[in-house]
Amino acid sequence: MKKYVNLLDGAILPALSSLALPIMATSLIQMAYNLTDMLWIGRIGANAVASVGAAGMFMWLSNGLVTLAKMGAQVKVAHSLGAQDQNKAACYAQSAIQMGIVFALAFGFVTVVFSRQMIGFFKLNSAQVAGDAQSYLIITCGLVIFSFLNQIFTGILTAMGNSKTSFIVTALGLLMNILLDPIFIFGFGGIPAMGVRGAAIATVMAQMIVCLLFLMTIRKDTLIFLQVHILSHIHKEEMKEIFRIGLPIGLQSMLFSSISMVIARFIAGWGDAAVAVQKVGSQIESISWMSAEGYAAALNSFVAQNHGAHNAQRIRKGYRLSMRLMISWGILCNLILLLFPQFIFQIFINESKVIWMGVDYLRILGFSQLFMCMEITTAGAFNGLGRTLPPSIISVTLTAARIPLAMLLGNGLGLNGVWWAITISSIFKGVLLFGWFLWDMKKPDFLVQDHPSKSIC
């Protein structure tokens, strides 16, 4: 079995599929992580789900920091490998890991010190919900370093054309999470029942195991990791380039999660059950956008390596093939959420009032799945070119528009107006970004000539 997929030569669709399928499977595994928590926490009740939902917003916020390092590394490592410069690729990998460690330690410290104020932002109605949310936040975000490293390792390996390792390692982590969740949530043997806190402990332990497996695996790599030395000196130029590439998408991620937190606070005005609906509903619909993100990650590496090799025609063809696949997937996800919302939602929460609120959520969000897939896939192509600004501009602008739109529609349609605000903005994001990339592809000089310079790590 080939460890690295050749993205520079040969048939495009088999190469993209070989890289994309393990990444998409990894994304589905990540979704299964989240859904496993929801399945067990949902057995405690809607209040427990609301606690995890509120605290999880800050975990989402932290993704902006790791995305900065991960995306900058994934793009520049792939550019360097496309230009046949393994030394440069190793420098970028080392710089990204160093950056991720610093970001994780800083975010974890802030979380532990200001956990009460952070959860207080949501103005939750129940003291028990707020207390559980604070405990979950301290554990998962205080030890976020394992999650950060796992994501950076995944990005670097994907840039190298190796997505199978991440899939295997993440799958093993999921199995551990499935085993640990009920033990720590409900208790077993000498381990007491810890409820929401137990779910957080199980999640962090699974992330720690995944991190250890990654470290054991990359020690055997001879392509670039053999030259990576975390405690070595900092490569300032490579660090600056990672920061330049990753900053727009990192800010986009943090602003997106911040805007979502404002909307979550707005949703909390309809009660803690509404917070629970958003938490469970967003996990269910993530099957579409997480799959699209997985494919976009493969397309990112494909575009980036061919950018390094200056093969514009191969990039154009790869993007068109990718969009055909992702549009088909988006339509399928639309139909599933529109036709089977009650059956799906009641798997996670079996409280009649909450179920019907969840049905409305899934049906309304069902209209946006196709357009989210279009947006995410196109963003992957833009990012592979090193042009992270266009998707960030569209995403930040239209995501910010959700706040006034939610307030406007919420006055007339109640909670459903908030869901419509999210759907409408997603539709516009997908259409506009797709149109922007098509316009750029028609330009004869759309591929920026950007040869990475030679260097030794």
Side-chain angles (χ1 to χ4, degrees):
M1 182 183 293
K2 292 174 63 176
K3 194 173 185 179
Y4 301 106
V5 177
N6 183 358
L7 300 175
L8 299 173
D9 303 296
I12 292 175
L13 190 57
L16 266 174
S17 299
S18 296
L19 186 61
L21 289 175
I23 301 174
M24 294 172 72
T26 302
S27 296
L28 292 176
I29 288 171
Q30 184 60 53
M31 183 191 72
Y33 266 152
N34 302 330
L35 292 180
T36 298
D37 281 343
M38 287 300 99
L39 279 169
W40 293 115
I41 294 169
R43 298 296 181 263
I44 304 174
N47 282 347
V49 175
S51 297
V52 174
M57 286 289 180
F58 291 103
M59 193 69 181
W60 191 9
L61 179 65
S62 75
N63 281 337
L65 291 173
V66 70
T67 296
L68 192 159
K70 172 189 173 182
M71 187 56 64
Q74 184 169 333
V75 171
K76 296 310 298 181
V77 167
H79 282 180
S80 301
L81 291 176
Q84 307 300 313
D85 190 346
Q86 295 179 9
N87 290 328
K88 192 76 168 178
C91 288
Y92 282 120
Q94 177 176 308
S95 299
I97 296 169
Q98 290 171 331
M99 187 182 291
I101 291 172
V102 172
F103 286 165
L105 294 176
F107 189 83
F109 176 78
V110 170
T111 297
V112 172
V113 173
F114 298 104
S115 59
R116 185 181 299 276
Q117 292 87 339
M118 291 166 77
I119 295 300
F121 169 83
F122 293 106
K123 297 186 181 297
L124 296 169
N125 299 305
S126 166
Q128 179 64 41
V129 171
D132 284 343
Q134 186 178 348
S135 296
Y136 192 90
L137 176 67
I138 290 173
I139 296 169
T140 55
C141 290
L143 296 170
V144 76
I145 188 170
F146 302 110
S147 174
F148 273 33
L149 288 174
N150 294 341
Q151 292 184 62
I152 292 172
F153 290 148
T154 297
I156 294 170
L157 288 169
T158 300
M160 297 163 64
N162 177 6
S163 56
K164 294 183 177 70
T165 295
S166 299
F167 168 69
I168 294 170
V169 168
T170 307
L172 292 173
L174 171 63
L175 291 175
M176 291 305 303
N177 202 35
I178 291 173
L179 293 172
L180 294 173
D181 254 344
I183 293 174
F184 284 97
I185 292 174
F186 301 107
F188 181 79
I191 300 175
M194 289 182 277
V196 171
R197 184 181 302 175
I201 293 171
T203 296
V204 170
M205 288 184 67
Q207 291 170 349
M208 188 186 306
I209 291 169
V210 168
C211 188
L212 290 172
L213 291 173
F214 266 126
L215 290 172
M216 292 170 60
T217 301
I218 64 177
R219 285 184 61 190
K220 302 175 183 178
D221 172 74
T222 58
L223 184 60
I224 65 172
F225 279 107
L226 191 63
Q227 303 174 61
V228 172
H229 307 287
I230 304 304
L231 300 179
S232 181
H233 65 284
I234 294 174
H235 299 277
K236 294 181 181 179
E237 292 305 314
E238 284 74 15
M239 194 79 76
K240 287 178 183 177
E241 188 65 6
I242 288 173
F243 195 84
R244 182 188 70 81
I245 294 289
L247 183 60
I249 194 168
L251 288 176
Q252 171 193 332
S253 178
M254 286 186 281
L255 285 170
F256 186 88
S257 56
S258 298
I259 291 165
S260 298
M261 287 164 66
V262 173
I263 292 176
R265 180 174 176 176
F266 187 49
I267 291 169
W270 277 276
D272 292 340
V275 178
V277 165
Q278 186 194 32
K279 176 62 178 176
V280 174
S282 64
Q283 297 296 342
I284 293 171
E285 59 148 344
S286 68
I287 189 172
S288 63
W289 60 261
M290 287 190 78
S291 298
E293 282 189 343
Y295 199 93
L299 181 61
N300 179 306
S301 296
F302 174 86
V303 170
Q305 284 201 22
N306 282 281
H307 174 276
H310 302 287
N311 194 338
Q313 190 57 34
R314 189 171 172 85
I315 291 174
R316 291 187 177 97
K317 188 173 181 181
Y319 175 74
R320 293 190 185 102
L321 288 170
S322 299
M323 284 305 301
R324 289 171 192 163
L325 288 174
M326 285 297 100
I327 286 174
S328 300
W329 174 250
I331 291 172
L332 176 62
C333 293
N334 275 13
L335 293 174
I336 290 173
L337 293 186
L338 289 171
L339 297 176
F340 309 106
Q342 182 178 351
F343 172 78
I344 297 171
F345 198 90
Q346 67 186 10
I347 294 173
F348 302 95
I349 296 182
N350 199 21
E351 300 174 25
S352 58
K353 176 186 175 182
V354 180
I355 286 175
W356 289 112
M357 293 169 66
V359 167
D360 287 341
Y361 177 97
L362 293 182
R363 279 185 175 151
I364 294 170
L365 269 292
F367 289 101
S368 67
Q369 304 307 301
L370 164 63
F371 302 96
M372 281 198 294
C373 290
M374 291 170 62
E375 178 202 356
I376 291 167
T377 305
T378 304
F382 264 121
N383 294 338
L385 294 173
R387 297 185 59 202
T388 52
L389 198 55
S392 295
I393 290 172
I394 286 181
S395 180
V396 169
T397 302
L398 289 173
T399 302
R402 288 178 178 177
I403 296 175
L405 191 58
M407 296 174 68
L408 177 66
L409 296 179
N411 288 333
L413 300 175
L415 184 59
N416 284 350
V418 180
W419 311 145
W420 276 114
I422 296 172
T423 287
I424 291 169
S425 65
S426 294
I427 291 172
F428 276 99
K429 285 195 293 181
V431 171
L432 290 175
L433 192 61
F434 176 64
W436 191 337
F437 196 82
L438 287 182
W439 176 267
D440 274 9
M441 279 206 306
K442 292 179 181 178
K443 300 176 182 178
D445 60 343
F446 97 101
L447 186 60
V448 178
Q449 299 300 304
D450 180 28
H451 285 287
S453 59
K454 294 281 181 179
S455 72
I456 298 177
C457 212

